[in-house]
């Protein structure tokens, strides 16, 4: 495939948690995967929360829970998320014009996270004051209790209309593949090329190591990833994407 030149870098500021956009070159890689060093445009809206350990419960506390509820009720949560998606949509169109116009030498792809990117966990976690544990998670996944997020679903559909191959990379264990796929179909999130989930031997990897390695495999197949979008910095850090778009998530943080 032809090499892709560096796009003009842009800056933006999302209102949530006052986090400025950063532009990185050669992000520090986890030891599990070598970083690809091409410059990457990053648009973020905030990651100011403690790590969420999957092996133990995480409780935000009643005061923090009320802040999250107020953020949701005000409409700012959806509005801030939509602003990041709008940036991603503009970036994708510009990238296709400037970097991937010749489809004979460039096969474009886009990568979506699932949880709190394509589907929302707010309705589930709100009912338990944002306590996260295996029982709550399993019930939500098996019952498809996480509704579709309209703004990112629109980007998902836009990418397909533009001829961009859609890949999904989620931190969910592969044991949840059947209910995850069924829920995506139920919500109308179809037409993606591949759903990547954590295998048993990948559970100890950080999200950055696991997801960047998965993106590398996509690019090794001849695709060029225009952008990766998720609700965590770790959804797009580690390279193998030209753009990184981080949605607001006031509920948890995954390294």
């Amino acid at each position: 495939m032809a090499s892709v030149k560096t796009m003009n870098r842009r800056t933006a500021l999302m209102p949530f948690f006052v986090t400025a956009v950063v532009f990185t070159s050669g992000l520090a890689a986890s030891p599990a995967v070598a970083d690809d060093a091409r410059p990457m445009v990053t648009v973020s809206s905030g990651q100011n929360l403690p790590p969420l350990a999957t092996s133990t419960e995480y409780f935000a506390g009643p005061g923090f829970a009320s802040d999250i509820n107020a953020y949701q009720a005000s409409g700012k949560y959806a509005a801030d998320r939509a602003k990041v998606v709008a940036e991603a949509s503009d970036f994708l169109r510009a990238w296709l014009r400037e970097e991937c116009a010749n489809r004979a030498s460039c096969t474009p792809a886009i990568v979506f996270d699932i949880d709190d990117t394509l589907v929302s966990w707010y309705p589930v976690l709100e009912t338990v004051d944002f306590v996260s544990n295996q029982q709550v998670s399993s019930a939500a996944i098996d019952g498809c209790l996480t509704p579709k997020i309209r703004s990112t679903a629109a980007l998902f559909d836009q990418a397909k209309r533009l001829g961009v191959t859609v890949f999904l990379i989620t931190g969910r264990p592969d044991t949840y593949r059947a209910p995850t796929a069924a829920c995506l179909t139920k919500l109308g999130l179809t037409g993606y090329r591949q759903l990547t989930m954590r295998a048993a031997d990948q559970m100890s990897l950080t999200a950055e190591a696991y997801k960047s390695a998965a993106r590398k495999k996509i690019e090794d197949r001849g695709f060029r990833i225009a952008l990766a979008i998720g609700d965590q910095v770790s959804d797009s850090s580690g390279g193998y994407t030209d753009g990184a778009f981080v949605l607001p998530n006031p509920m948890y943080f995954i390294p």
Side-chain angles (χ1 to χ4, degrees):
M1 293 175 61
S3 61
V4 178
K5 64 179 182 295
T6 303
M7 295 184 68
N8 293 330
R9 298 181 178 186
R10 298 174 292 131
T11 59
L13 183 64
M14 296 296 124
F16 181 60
F17 284 157
V18 195
T19 298
V21 170
V22 295
F23 300 93
T24 60
S25 178
L27 289 173
S30 167
V33 61
D35 186 15
D36 115 311
R38 69 183 187 254
M40 181 172 68
V41 175
T42 304
V43 176
S44 175
S45 58
Q47 290 279 301
N48 296 349
L49 293 164
L52 172 65
T54 56
S55 60
T56 61
E57 290 191 354
Y58 170 75
F59 181 46
F64 194 32
S66 66
D67 290 340
I68 297 172
N69 290 333
Y71 182 51
Q72 166 74 12
S74 70
K76 283 183 59 60
Y77 193 174
D80 289 347
R81 190 162 48 205
K83 289 176 183 177
V84 177
V85 173
E87 289 275 347
S89 175
D90 291 345
F91 177 90
L92 179 61
R93 289 184 180 278
W95 185 90
L96 289 170
R97 289 194 307 269
E98 300 170 19
E99 313 298 337
C100 199
N102 184 356
R103 298 298 178 88
S105 60
C106 177
T107 306
I110 185 172
V111 172
F112 287 85
D113 173 49
I114 294 179
D115 297 310
D116 289 301
T117 300
L118 287 171
V119 302
S120 174
W121 278 77
Y122 174 83
V124 175
L125 296 179
E126 188 271 337
T127 62
V128 291
D129 281 335
F130 304 96
V131 173
S132 178
N133 59 42
Q134 192 61 51
Q135 183 178 2
V136 170
S137 298
S138 296
I141 293 172
D142 289 341
C144 192
L145 303 180
T146 51
K148 177 171 64 178
I149 296 173
R150 294 184 181 277
S151 55
T152 43
L155 178 64
F156 179 98
D157 290 336
Q158 177 194 32
K160 292 188 296 180
R161 289 195 304 271
L162 294 173
V164 179
T165 302
V166 175
F167 290 87
L168 308 182
I169 302 176
T170 176
R172 295 184 184 187
D174 195 63
T175 51
Y176 287 117
R177 179 172 294 275
T180 297
C183 186
L184 290 169
T185 298
K186 179 180 179 180
L187 297 175
L189 296 166
T190 60
Y192 52 86
R193 171 66 66 89
Q194 180 178 327
L195 169 60
T196 299
M197 307 182 75
R198 282 186 188 258
D201 62 356
Q202 296 174 318
M203 297 306 296
S204 63
L205 296 177
T206 64
E208 177 184 352
Y210 158 67
K211 292 198 171 189
S212 58
R215 291 194 304 275
K216 182 179 185 298
K217 288 182 179 179
I218 292 170
E219 293 209 329
D220 286 346
R221 291 163 57 185
F223 292 94
R224 184 76 181 198
I225 298 174
L227 67 94
I229 184 166
D231 63 299
Q232 307 289 322
V233 170
S234 55
D235 288 326
S236 51
S237 57
Y240 305 101
T241 180
D242 283 357
F245 292 81
V246 185
L247 302 166
N249 184 342
M251 298 178 290
Y252 56 86
F253 166 67
I254 301 175

